[in-house]
Every structure is written in structure tokens, then in C-alpha cells.
Amino acid sequence: MSRDKILAALRQNQPELAPLPASMPLQQIEILELQAKFKAVAEGIGSTVHLVDEFGAIQPMIAARFSAEKRILSTVKELVSAAVPEFQFDADPHSYADVDVAIFKPELGVAENSALWLTEAQMRIRVLPFITQHIVMVIPLSSLVPDMHTAYQKIAEADYGFGTFIAGPSKTADIEQSLVLGAHGPRSMTIFIYA
Amino acid sequence: MNTKTKDHPELSELFNQDEQRVNWHDETLWWIRQKRDKSAHGIPEWETLREKASQIKNNALSNLADYLVSFEERALANGIIVHWAADAAEHNQIVHGILQKHGISKMVKSKSMLTEECHLNEYLEKQGLEVIDSDLGERIVQLAKEPPSHIVLPCIHKKKEEIGDLFHQHLGVEAGTSDPQILTEAARQHLRETFLTRKAALTGVNFAIAETGEFVVCTNEGNADMGAHLADVHIACMGIEKIIPKRKHLGVFLRLLARSATGQPVTTYSSHFKRPREGQEMHIVLVDNGRTVQMGREDFRASLKCIRCGACMNTCPVYRRSGGHSYSYAISGPIGAILAPNLDREKYADLPFASTLCGSCSNVCPVKIDIHQQLYKWRQVIVQEGYAASSKKMSMKLMNYTLSSPGIYRTAGKAGRLIMKYAPFAVNNQFNPWYKQRDMPEVPKQSFGEWYKKNVKSE
Ligand code: SF4
């Protein structure tokens, strides 16, 4: 059987056990500095970032920005309105093919690369953050962390079926290295950071 | 010397016929290398990160059997079906078997250099199955019936006008279109249709975690996710060396990967697959295909630490000027030239010689593989085993002889300088392969040794 053959060959050929290194030290950075860094990096890779003083300011801004879109879904209860219906669960992922805008609240955001961590618990349907034409993320300022080491310390032993870091809209540079936003996934990403 | 038709020098000569294209290829890759530098310099702890990554990989390799067993156990508990493949043929049969079991004849695939290594597409097509590659660059080379020429940038060798022609032929784009935005949009529509209609999706794996039994796939386009989350069956294929011990180690690798590859702070999507979604079947295929043998070769073992960022290719003066297709192996560039002879020494005997040994590859490698030293070691093995072309054998012997005797070295140096001074035609001619595409350098009047004697020793 290949399994046993592979394992036996490895045990035969592996070098002596090498120790794991100590973890990278965790950085402590002031929250406003994190916010500035996050915003700069996110805008550098094609996202739009809005800093708002309170959660209540987000809804009208979404309504204004996406007034022309047909199917808008919110997985965030507090952002449901007449124009933005609540997320309705349908196990068939294909039924989300016509979603124009999907709104999520990630668990954390990483300042060094502007990646936002979403798990199945928030996205509900795994394909949703990828299949939607535009993606909106709302995140409290307190959920920003400096770097990936701190991010994984927070994620630590968390259980999820699927989780993903998303940094910006879907993109490609495969044609002569020209950057084009909107390869297969969202064409735009709008991020609201609220205090 | 070997069984295949053309070796690296011959294939690079083909590539070099179009000088403008060579210059453009060279400049584009150098630009990406510069983006990598900028990105790396933005992280003060960059060198520490590389060191940690290297050590984590050393640990992973030194305990790989146990880590694989632990990964398998956890993955099974997570509801993932685990397969083991000794070689490319078994890998292809396993994938085929899964598709057959479900009566699926069409599959969408996201980028995976492992399936290129195993020639999965050709195999499945021979069995009457259709495979569509969904990474834009891979789709382009697939339409052109070519293999990828770079592990991260598969169609880096193609001009936008050529891509326009391909899309005109295959996707109904108006003739003469070359705007990247319009071409990308055409591919988006075509591939969206594919994603929505395929029952099976295959993805590669960037990292697999022994501690949790999950695996991570990194893309910028989101094609792996579109495929996997819409399909009933998700097959993930990985080389056994992709295992890392713990989830938290991803912090180190995700910080290094995209910065080394393209200079981005992170890939757009870093997706962690731990369990199949409700009603979905998820498979993982663990592939050996020569890796356990390479593990036993002390000098070359470190090549298994590679995270396939492509930085060594972007910086390599030979790769940049000879193109990925001149390497005749799925993985081109410096790291490919180390991995290929492991599989077939005779067929790939020429590849370790496609290097200036300048060391630039080793300097950028995020996991600190001693790439140029391994290339040099392969040359010695290949010469000893008698696979080298006779011209290389002669010059290697001569070099060895010259370098091992200071007296001869000095005389040879002097003779070289004299020839270059009084009889440059003896060197600048078509019999010297180094003279092709370049002028030989001006000769210094003194050797370093002479200069040293005069200026330093006399003090
Ligand atoms: S050898 Fe190093 S630089 Fe080259 S692709 Fe692998 S990890 Fe990247």
C-alpha cells in the first residue's frame, strides 16, 4: 500500500529531529496607528475604507453607495433595512449567483496587510464572499490586530469548517502584469471601521 | 547525451531569437523582483521571519512521517477522505477514480503545480474527461496548448496581443482586442459559467496543518474558492512536503509567501479548508512522486522546504533571459533545476547547468534554501555519473584542475587575459556559447592577485 510505503521511506530517510523555533514576538501597537496602517494598506490594494464614529452612520452610506444594485444581502442583522434584506439561508450555493452586494462582519482585521478574517459562522454560505459582485465589510476598531502572528494567536484553537482571510477585491495581473480588479470574485471591496 | 530532443541551451536559443521579447521578459520579471524587495524591506523583522520559516520547515521535514499521520487522523475526523499516491500515475488514477465514482466528466481546476508535475490534464483528457483551468494565466496557456512558463505567473511570456488572439479564437472576443481589462472581463464571464456548471473542482494546497487536519489555499483571483464552494466534490492534491506543524505557523508563512512572490502584503484570499460543507465530498491526495527519495539525499533535502513563491525565478539572470519553457520540466527556474534531476537524472542532466551560480536565488528564498550550492552539487553528481554533455565534462574537469592548483590558476588567468587582449576573436566566436547574445567583458589589466600583491602586500 502506498501509504505505508511512503511513511516507511520517510522514516528511513528523514534527518534527525530538528527543534521548532520560538514564536515570533507579538507587537503592541496603538489602536489609532493600527487604524491608519490598515487603511493605507487596504487602499493600496484597491479597497475603499471609511472610518466612522458610530455604527449608525454605516447604513445610509451603504444605501447611497449601492442604490443602483438589485440584490443586496446582509449577514449582519443590524444593517438589515427596507432596501437591504436579511440573509435567507438556501443550502444550494448556486442560488447566490445573482447577488450584487453582500455585507459581512469579520472577526478580525490585520493592519500589516488589511486581511479580514471571516469564518463560516459569519459568511453562512461559503461561496457568498466570492460570488458576490461587490463585498462590504464592517468591523469595529477594537478588532484590528497588528500582524498575522497576533491574528493566529486570536484564531488559535478556534473551530470552523471553513475560514478565510480576504484582502481586497478579487484581482489578477496575468495579462502583461496589468492589475485588473474583479477576476472571478468581487469587483470592489468597501470596508467600514467604526469606533 | 540524453533522450530528449532539445536541452536548455538549445531551447533558450529559440527563445533568444526574438531579442525584444527577451528584453521585455527580463524587465518584467526584474520589476516583480523589485516589488518583492520593497515589500521585504517594509518588514524590519524580515530576516528573522526567513530564519523562523527555515527552522519550521526543518522541523517539519525531520518529523514528516509523524506529521503526515497526525494530519491524516485529524483530516479523517474532520470528514475529509484521505488518499496516498506513490507517484504521478497513482495520483492521476485516484483523481480519475473519484470522478468516475460520481459519473462526472467535466472538472474545473485551480492552479496546482503538482498536477502539472503529474501531467493530470493530459491523462484525464485521454480518458475522455474535460478539465478547465480557472486561474486566468493557466487558462491562457491552456488555450494556447502550452504548459505554464512560471510557477506563479503562468503566462508571463505572453504578450497581450497574443492573448487577444487566443480569446478571439476561443471565447469570441472581437479580433484585435488587447486591453487587459476587456480580456479579463471576457475570461470572467466564461469561467463563471464554468464554475456554476461543474460538479467537481480540483485545487492545489499551499499548506497543510498537522495539528488540525486543515489545508490552506492561497489565490488572488478567488478561483479556487469559486470552484470548491460550488462543486459537489472537492479534490485537493498536495505533495507530502506541504505539511507544517501548527496553525500558528501560518503567521510566518503567509507573511513571507505573497511578499516574496509578487510584493503584495498577502494574497487576496488565504482560505482554510477544515471540513467539507454540508452535503459536499472532500478528498485530499497526498503525493510522494520522488519526494521520499529526495529526503534521503542529504545534499538536496532542503529543496523540499520550497513554498513555491517563484522569487528565485524572478531574480535569476538565466531564467529571465531564457524563459520558463527552456527548462523542459513543469517547474522551471533554479528550484525546478534542483527538483527535476531527482526524478530523472538523464533527462534533466542539463538543468543544473542553467545557472550562473551567482547566488541571487539563495538570497531571496524565503525559506533559505541554499539553491545555488545545490545546483553546484548536482553538477558534480551529474558529471560523476556520466550524464553531462561532453563539452561540460571537459570544462568542469578543467575548472576543477585549475581551481585546485594555485599555480595553474594564476597562469590560466594570465593566459586568459592575454588572449582577450591580443586575440579576442579566439573567445568572441560562435564556438564559445558564452559569446552568444553578449559581448565578452573588457579584460582588467591586472588580476586581483596581482593588484593585491602590489597594493596591499607591499604596505
Ligand atoms: S526555492 Fe525558495 S525562492 Fe524558489 S520558489 Fe521555492 S521558496 Fe520560493
Side-chain angles (χ1 to χ4, degrees), chain B residues 313-330:
Chain B
M313 298 171 194
N314 302 341
T315 201
C316 175
V318 177
Y319 174 87
R320 281 189 276 122
R321 292 176 184 83
S322 60
H325 288 153
S326 64
Y327 287 80
S328 67
Y329 178 59

mmCIF file with all atom_site columns, all heavy atoms in Angstrom, chain B residues 313-330:
data_model
loop_
_atom_site.group_PDB
_atom_site.id
_atom_site.type_symbol
_atom_site.label_atom_id
_atom_site.label_alt_id
_atom_site.label_comp_id
_atom_site.label_asym_id
_atom_site.label_entity_id
_atom_site.label_seq_id
_atom_site.pdbx_PDB_ins_code
_atom_site.Cartn_x
_atom_site.Cartn_y
_atom_site.Cartn_z
_atom_site.occupancy
_atom_site.B_iso_or_equiv
_atom_site.pdbx_formal_charge
_atom_site.auth_seq_id
_atom_site.auth_comp_id
_atom_site.auth_asym_id
_atom_site.auth_atom_id
_atom_site.pdbx_PDB_model_num
ATOM 1   N N   . MET B 1 313 ? 12.988 32.499 -9.405  1.00 0.00 ? 313 MET B N   1
ATOM 2   C CA  . MET B 1 313 ? 12.917 32.644 -10.867 1.00 0.00 ? 313 MET B CA  1
ATOM 3   C C   . MET B 1 313 ? 12.997 34.111 -11.275 1.00 0.00 ? 313 MET B C   1
ATOM 4   O O   . MET B 1 313 ? 13.657 34.468 -12.237 1.00 0.00 ? 313 MET B O   1
ATOM 5   C CB  . MET B 1 313 ? 11.601 32.083 -11.374 1.00 0.00 ? 313 MET B CB  1
ATOM 6   C CG  . MET B 1 313 ? 11.504 30.634 -11.061 1.00 0.00 ? 313 MET B CG  1
ATOM 7   S SD  . MET B 1 313 ? 9.895  29.988 -11.385 1.00 0.00 ? 313 MET B SD  1
ATOM 8   C CE  . MET B 1 313 ? 10.144 28.464 -10.501 1.00 0.00 ? 313 MET B CE  1
ATOM 9   N N   . ASN B 1 314 ? 12.253 34.947 -10.526 1.00 0.00 ? 314 ASN B N   1
ATOM 10  C CA  . ASN B 1 314 ? 12.198 36.363 -10.893 1.00 0.00 ? 314 ASN B CA  1
ATOM 11  C C   . ASN B 1 314 ? 13.565 37.019 -10.797 1.00 0.00 ? 314 ASN B C   1
ATOM 12  O O   . ASN B 1 314 ? 13.854 37.963 -11.514 1.00 0.00 ? 314 ASN B O   1
ATOM 13  C CB  . ASN B 1 314 ? 11.220 37.102 -9.982  1.00 0.00 ? 314 ASN B CB  1
ATOM 14  C CG  . ASN B 1 314 ? 9.831  36.506 -10.053 1.00 0.00 ? 314 ASN B CG  1
ATOM 15  O OD1 . ASN B 1 314 ? 9.500  35.799 -11.002 1.00 0.00 ? 314 ASN B OD1 1
ATOM 16  N ND2 . ASN B 1 314 ? 9.018  36.791 -9.047  1.00 0.00 ? 314 ASN B ND2 1
ATOM 17  N N   . THR B 1 315 ? 14.397 36.524 -9.918  1.00 0.00 ? 315 THR B N   1
ATOM 18  C CA  . THR B 1 315 ? 15.696 37.147 -9.736  1.00 0.00 ? 315 THR B CA  1
ATOM 19  C C   . THR B 1 315 ? 16.774 36.506 -10.605 1.00 0.00 ? 315 THR B C   1
ATOM 20  O O   . THR B 1 315 ? 17.824 37.092 -10.833 1.00 0.00 ? 315 THR B O   1
ATOM 21  C CB  . THR B 1 315 ? 16.111 37.084 -8.240  1.00 0.00 ? 315 THR B CB  1
ATOM 22  O OG1 . THR B 1 315 ? 17.099 38.088 -8.014  1.00 0.00 ? 315 THR B OG1 1
ATOM 23  C CG2 . THR B 1 315 ? 16.677 35.732 -7.860  1.00 0.00 ? 315 THR B CG2 1
ATOM 24  N N   . CYS B 1 316 ? 16.509 35.323 -11.129 1.00 0.00 ? 316 CYS B N   1
ATOM 25  C CA  . CYS B 1 316 ? 17.551 34.557 -11.833 1.00 0.00 ? 316 CYS B CA  1
ATOM 26  C C   . CYS B 1 316 ? 17.884 35.152 -13.203 1.00 0.00 ? 316 CYS B C   1
ATOM 27  O O   . CYS B 1 316 ? 17.024 35.242 -14.068 1.00 0.00 ? 316 CYS B O   1
ATOM 28  C CB  . CYS B 1 316 ? 17.111 33.107 -12.011 1.00 0.00 ? 316 CYS B CB  1
ATOM 29  S SG  . CYS B 1 316 ? 18.290 32.139 -12.987 1.00 0.00 ? 316 CYS B SG  1
ATOM 30  N N   . PRO B 1 317 ? 19.143 35.554 -13.420 1.00 0.00 ? 317 PRO B N   1
ATOM 31  C CA  . PRO B 1 317 ? 19.509 36.145 -14.709 1.00 0.00 ? 317 PRO B CA  1
ATOM 32  C C   . PRO B 1 317 ? 19.359 35.161 -15.867 1.00 0.00 ? 317 PRO B C   1
ATOM 33  O O   . PRO B 1 317 ? 19.125 35.578 -17.003 1.00 0.00 ? 317 PRO B O   1
ATOM 34  C CB  . PRO B 1 317 ? 20.967 36.549 -14.517 1.00 0.00 ? 317 PRO B CB  1
ATOM 35  C CG  . PRO B 1 317 ? 21.462 35.791 -13.336 1.00 0.00 ? 317 PRO B CG  1
ATOM 36  C CD  . PRO B 1 317 ? 20.273 35.512 -12.478 1.00 0.00 ? 317 PRO B CD  1
ATOM 37  N N   . VAL B 1 318 ? 19.479 33.883 -15.590 1.00 0.00 ? 318 VAL B N   1
ATOM 38  C CA  . VAL B 1 318 ? 19.348 32.894 -16.665 1.00 0.00 ? 318 VAL B CA  1
ATOM 39  C C   . VAL B 1 318 ? 17.865 32.670 -16.985 1.00 0.00 ? 318 VAL B C   1
ATOM 40  O O   . VAL B 1 318 ? 17.453 32.717 -18.144 1.00 0.00 ? 318 VAL B O   1
ATOM 41  C CB  . VAL B 1 318 ? 20.030 31.561 -16.277 1.00 0.00 ? 318 VAL B CB  1
ATOM 42  C CG1 . VAL B 1 318 ? 19.817 30.518 -17.366 1.00 0.00 ? 318 VAL B CG1 1
ATOM 43  C CG2 . VAL B 1 318 ? 21.504 31.792 -16.027 1.00 0.00 ? 318 VAL B CG2 1
ATOM 44  N N   . TYR B 1 319 ? 17.064 32.488 -15.952 1.00 0.00 ? 319 TYR B N   1
ATOM 45  C CA  . TYR B 1 319 ? 15.624 32.300 -16.184 1.00 0.00 ? 319 TYR B CA  1
ATOM 46  C C   . TYR B 1 319 ? 15.029 33.504 -16.913 1.00 0.00 ? 319 TYR B C   1
ATOM 47  O O   . TYR B 1 319 ? 14.278 33.360 -17.869 1.00 0.00 ? 319 TYR B O   1
ATOM 48  C CB  . TYR B 1 319 ? 14.882 32.084 -14.852 1.00 0.00 ? 319 TYR B CB  1
ATOM 49  C CG  . TYR B 1 319 ? 13.388 32.028 -15.051 1.00 0.00 ? 319 TYR B CG  1
ATOM 50  C CD1 . TYR B 1 319 ? 12.753 30.836 -15.367 1.00 0.00 ? 319 TYR B CD1 1
ATOM 51  C CD2 . TYR B 1 319 ? 12.616 33.186 -15.001 1.00 0.00 ? 319 TYR B CD2 1
ATOM 52  C CE1 . TYR B 1 319 ? 11.402 30.787 -15.610 1.00 0.00 ? 319 TYR B CE1 1
ATOM 53  C CE2 . TYR B 1 319 ? 11.259 33.151 -15.245 1.00 0.00 ? 319 TYR B CE2 1
ATOM 54  C CZ  . TYR B 1 319 ? 10.652 31.957 -15.542 1.00 0.00 ? 319 TYR B CZ  1
ATOM 55  O OH  . TYR B 1 319 ? 9.311  31.927 -15.799 1.00 0.00 ? 319 TYR B OH  1
ATOM 56  N N   . ARG B 1 320 ? 15.379 34.696 -16.454 1.00 0.00 ? 320 ARG B N   1
ATOM 57  C CA  . ARG B 1 320 ? 14.782 35.895 -17.034 1.00 0.00 ? 320 ARG B CA  1
ATOM 58  C C   . ARG B 1 320 ? 15.096 36.021 -18.510 1.00 0.00 ? 320 ARG B C   1
ATOM 59  O O   . ARG B 1 320 ? 14.326 36.570 -19.279 1.00 0.00 ? 320 ARG B O   1
ATOM 60  C CB  . ARG B 1 320 ? 15.277 37.146 -16.284 1.00 0.00 ? 320 ARG B CB  1
ATOM 61  C CG  . ARG B 1 320 ? 14.543 37.350 -14.953 1.00 0.00 ? 320 ARG B CG  1
ATOM 62  C CD  . ARG B 1 320 ? 14.887 38.692 -14.338 1.00 0.00 ? 320 ARG B CD  1
ATOM 63  N NE  . ARG B 1 320 ? 16.110 38.638 -13.576 1.00 0.00 ? 320 ARG B NE  1
ATOM 64  C CZ  . ARG B 1 320 ? 17.172 39.401 -13.808 1.00 0.00 ? 320 ARG B CZ  1
ATOM 65  N NH1 . ARG B 1 320 ? 17.165 40.289 -14.790 1.00 0.00 ? 320 ARG B NH1 1
ATOM 66  N NH2 . ARG B 1 320 ? 18.256 39.288 -13.071 1.00 0.00 ? 320 ARG B NH2 1
ATOM 67  N N   . ARG B 1 321 ? 16.263 35.513 -18.912 1.00 0.00 ? 321 ARG B N   1
ATOM 68  C CA  . ARG B 1 321 ? 16.655 35.670 -20.315 1.00 0.00 ? 321 ARG B CA  1
ATOM 69  C C   . ARG B 1 321 ? 16.476 34.412 -21.151 1.00 0.00 ? 321 ARG B C   1
ATOM 70  O O   . ARG B 1 321 ? 16.784 34.413 -22.326 1.00 0.00 ? 321 ARG B O   1
ATOM 71  C CB  . ARG B 1 321 ? 18.107 36.135 -20.384 1.00 0.00 ? 321 ARG B CB  1
ATOM 72  C CG  . ARG B 1 321 ? 18.293 37.553 -19.868 1.00 0.00 ? 321 ARG B CG  1
ATOM 73  C CD  . ARG B 1 321 ? 19.757 37.938 -19.871 1.00 0.00 ? 321 ARG B CD  1
ATOM 74  N NE  . ARG B 1 321 ? 19.977 39.257 -19.284 1.00 0.00 ? 321 ARG B NE  1
ATOM 75  C CZ  . ARG B 1 321 ? 20.072 39.480 -17.977 1.00 0.00 ? 321 ARG B CZ  1
ATOM 76  N NH1 . ARG B 1 321 ? 19.956 38.484 -17.127 1.00 0.00 ? 321 ARG B NH1 1
ATOM 77  N NH2 . ARG B 1 321 ? 20.290 40.705 -17.521 1.00 0.00 ? 321 ARG B NH2 1
ATOM 78  N N   . SER B 1 322 ? 15.981 33.351 -20.524 1.00 0.00 ? 322 SER B N   1
ATOM 79  C CA  . SER B 1 322 ? 15.801 32.153 -21.358 1.00 0.00 ? 322 SER B CA  1
ATOM 80  C C   . SER B 1 322 ? 14.370 31.634 -21.316 1.00 0.00 ? 322 SER B C   1
ATOM 81  O O   . SER B 1 322 ? 13.999 30.764 -22.093 1.00 0.00 ? 322 SER B O   1
ATOM 82  C CB  . SER B 1 322 ? 16.782 31.047 -20.935 1.00 0.00 ? 322 SER B CB  1
ATOM 83  O OG  . SER B 1 322 ? 16.574 30.675 -19.593 1.00 0.00 ? 322 SER B OG  1
ATOM 84  N N   . GLY B 1 323 ? 13.541 32.169 -20.418 1.00 0.00 ? 323 GLY B N   1
ATOM 85  C CA  . GLY B 1 323 ? 12.132 31.794 -20.419 1.00 0.00 ? 323 GLY B CA  1
ATOM 86  C C   . GLY B 1 323 ? 11.887 30.441 -19.772 1.00 0.00 ? 323 GLY B C   1
ATOM 87  O O   . GLY B 1 323 ? 12.744 29.560 -19.783 1.00 0.00 ? 323 GLY B O   1
ATOM 88  N N   . GLY B 1 324 ? 10.706 30.273 -19.198 1.00 0.00 ? 324 GLY B N   1
ATOM 89  C CA  . GLY B 1 324 ? 10.392 29.049 -18.464 1.00 0.00 ? 324 GLY B CA  1
ATOM 90  C C   . GLY B 1 324 ? 10.345 27.810 -19.336 1.00 0.00 ? 324 GLY B C   1
ATOM 91  O O   . GLY B 1 324 ? 10.660 26.708 -18.895 1.00 0.00 ? 324 GLY B O   1
ATOM 92  N N   . HIS B 1 325 ? 9.952  27.982 -20.605 1.00 0.00 ? 325 HIS B N   1
ATOM 93  C CA  . HIS B 1 325 ? 9.805  26.799 -21.448 1.00 0.00 ? 325 HIS B CA  1
ATOM 94  C C   . HIS B 1 325 ? 11.143 26.177 -21.829 1.00 0.00 ? 325 HIS B C   1
ATOM 95  O O   . HIS B 1 325 ? 11.197 25.054 -22.322 1.00 0.00 ? 325 HIS B O   1
ATOM 96  C CB  . HIS B 1 325 ? 8.995  27.142 -22.698 1.00 0.00 ? 325 HIS B CB  1
ATOM 97  C CG  . HIS B 1 325 ? 7.541  27.369 -22.388 1.00 0.00 ? 325 HIS B CG  1
ATOM 98  N ND1 . HIS B 1 325 ? 6.739  28.164 -23.151 1.00 0.00 ? 325 HIS B ND1 1
ATOM 99  C CD2 . HIS B 1 325 ? 6.764  26.903 -21.386 1.00 0.00 ? 325 HIS B CD2 1
ATOM 100 C CE1 . HIS B 1 325 ? 5.510  28.185 -22.626 1.00 0.00 ? 325 HIS B CE1 1
ATOM 101 N NE2 . HIS B 1 325 ? 5.504  27.431 -21.551 1.00 0.00 ? 325 HIS B NE2 1
ATOM 102 N N   . SER B 1 326 ? 12.226 26.906 -21.586 1.00 0.00 ? 326 SER B N   1
ATOM 103 C CA  . SER B 1 326 ? 13.521 26.327 -21.946 1.00 0.00 ? 326 SER B CA  1
ATOM 104 C C   . SER B 1 326 ? 13.958 25.282 -20.914 1.00 0.00 ? 326 SER B C   1
ATOM 105 O O   . SER B 1 326 ? 14.972 24.625 -21.091 1.00 0.00 ? 326 SER B O   1
ATOM 106 C CB  . SER B 1 326 ? 14.572 27.424 -22.050 1.00 0.00 ? 326 SER B CB  1
ATOM 107 O OG  . SER B 1 326 ? 14.764 28.020 -20.777 1.00 0.00 ? 326 SER B OG  1
ATOM 108 N N   . TYR B 1 327 ? 13.194 25.144 -19.835 1.00 0.00 ? 327 TYR B N   1
ATOM 109 C CA  . TYR B 1 327 ? 13.621 24.211 -18.788 1.00 0.00 ? 327 TYR B CA  1
ATOM 110 C C   . TYR B 1 327 ? 13.090 22.778 -18.951 1.00 0.00 ? 327 TYR B C   1
ATOM 111 O O   . TYR B 1 327 ? 13.512 21.892 -18.256 1.00 0.00 ? 327 TYR B O   1
ATOM 112 C CB  . TYR B 1 327 ? 13.246 24.743 -17.403 1.00 0.00 ? 327 TYR B CB  1
ATOM 113 C CG  . TYR B 1 327 ? 14.122 25.892 -16.971 1.00 0.00 ? 327 TYR B CG  1
ATOM 114 C CD1 . TYR B 1 327 ? 13.884 27.175 -17.450 1.00 0.00 ? 327 TYR B CD1 1
ATOM 115 C CD2 . TYR B 1 327 ? 15.198 25.698 -16.121 1.00 0.00 ? 327 TYR B CD2 1
ATOM 116 C CE1 . TYR B 1 327 ? 14.686 28.244 -17.075 1.00 0.00 ? 327 TYR B CE1 1
ATOM 117 C CE2 . TYR B 1 327 ? 16.004 26.754 -15.735 1.00 0.00 ? 327 TYR B CE2 1
ATOM 118 C CZ  . TYR B 1 327 ? 15.741 28.030 -16.220 1.00 0.00 ? 327 TYR B CZ  1
ATOM 119 O OH  . TYR B 1 327 ? 16.541 29.078 -15.843 1.00 0.00 ? 327 TYR B OH  1
ATOM 120 N N   . SER B 1 328 ? 12.119 22.587 -19.787 1.00 0.00 ? 328 SER B N   1
ATOM 121 C CA  . SER B 1 328 ? 11.598 21.247 -20.103 1.00 0.00 ? 328 SER B CA  1
ATOM 122 C C   . SER B 1 328 ? 11.127 20.458 -18.882 1.00 0.00 ? 328 SER B C   1
ATOM 123 O O   . SER B 1 328 ? 11.043 19.241 -18.902 1.00 0.00 ? 328 SER B O   1
ATOM 124 C CB  . SER B 1 328 ? 12.620 20.417 -20.890 1.00 0.00 ? 328 SER B CB  1
ATOM 125 O OG  . SER B 1 328 ? 13.742 20.113 -20.087 1.00 0.00 ? 328 SER B OG  1
ATOM 126 N N   . TYR B 1 329 ? 10.864 21.137 -17.774 1.00 0.00 ? 329 TYR B N   1
ATOM 127 C CA  . TYR B 1 329 ? 10.282 20.481 -16.609 1.00 0.00 ? 329 TYR B CA  1
ATOM 128 C C   . TYR B 1 329 ? 9.174  21.402 -16.100 1.00 0.00 ? 329 TYR B C   1
ATOM 129 O O   . TYR B 1 329 ? 9.245  22.619 -16.281 1.00 0.00 ? 329 TYR B O   1
ATOM 130 C CB  . TYR B 1 329 ? 11.358 20.243 -15.534 1.00 0.00 ? 329 TYR B CB  1
ATOM 131 C CG  . TYR B 1 329 ? 10.825 19.610 -14.258 1.00 0.00 ? 329 TYR B CG  1
ATOM 132 C CD1 . TYR B 1 329 ? 10.193 18.364 -14.306 1.00 0.00 ? 329 TYR B CD1 1
ATOM 133 C CD2 . TYR B 1 329 ? 10.934 20.260 -13.028 1.00 0.00 ? 329 TYR B CD2 1
ATOM 134 C CE1 . TYR B 1 329 ? 9.694  17.793 -13.138 1.00 0.00 ? 329 TYR B CE1 1
ATOM 135 C CE2 . TYR B 1 329 ? 10.439 19.687 -11.869 1.00 0.00 ? 329 TYR B CE2 1
ATOM 136 C CZ  . TYR B 1 329 ? 9.817  18.447 -11.934 1.00 0.00 ? 329 TYR B CZ  1
ATOM 137 O OH  . TYR B 1 329 ? 9.323  17.894 -10.782 1.00 0.00 ? 329 TYR B OH  1
ATOM 138 N N   . ALA B 1 330 ? 8.138  20.805 -15.465 1.00 0.00 ? 330 ALA B N   1
ATOM 139 C CA  . ALA B 1 330 ? 6.959  21.581 -15.051 1.00 0.00 ? 330 ALA B CA  1
ATOM 140 C C   . ALA B 1 330 ? 7.363  22.795 -14.218 1.00 0.00 ? 330 ALA B C   1
ATOM 141 O O   . ALA B 1 330 ? 6.818  23.889 -14.383 1.00 0.00 ? 330 ALA B O   1
ATOM 142 C CB  . ALA B 1 330 ? 6.007  20.692 -14.258 1.00 0.00 ? 330 ALA B CB  1
#
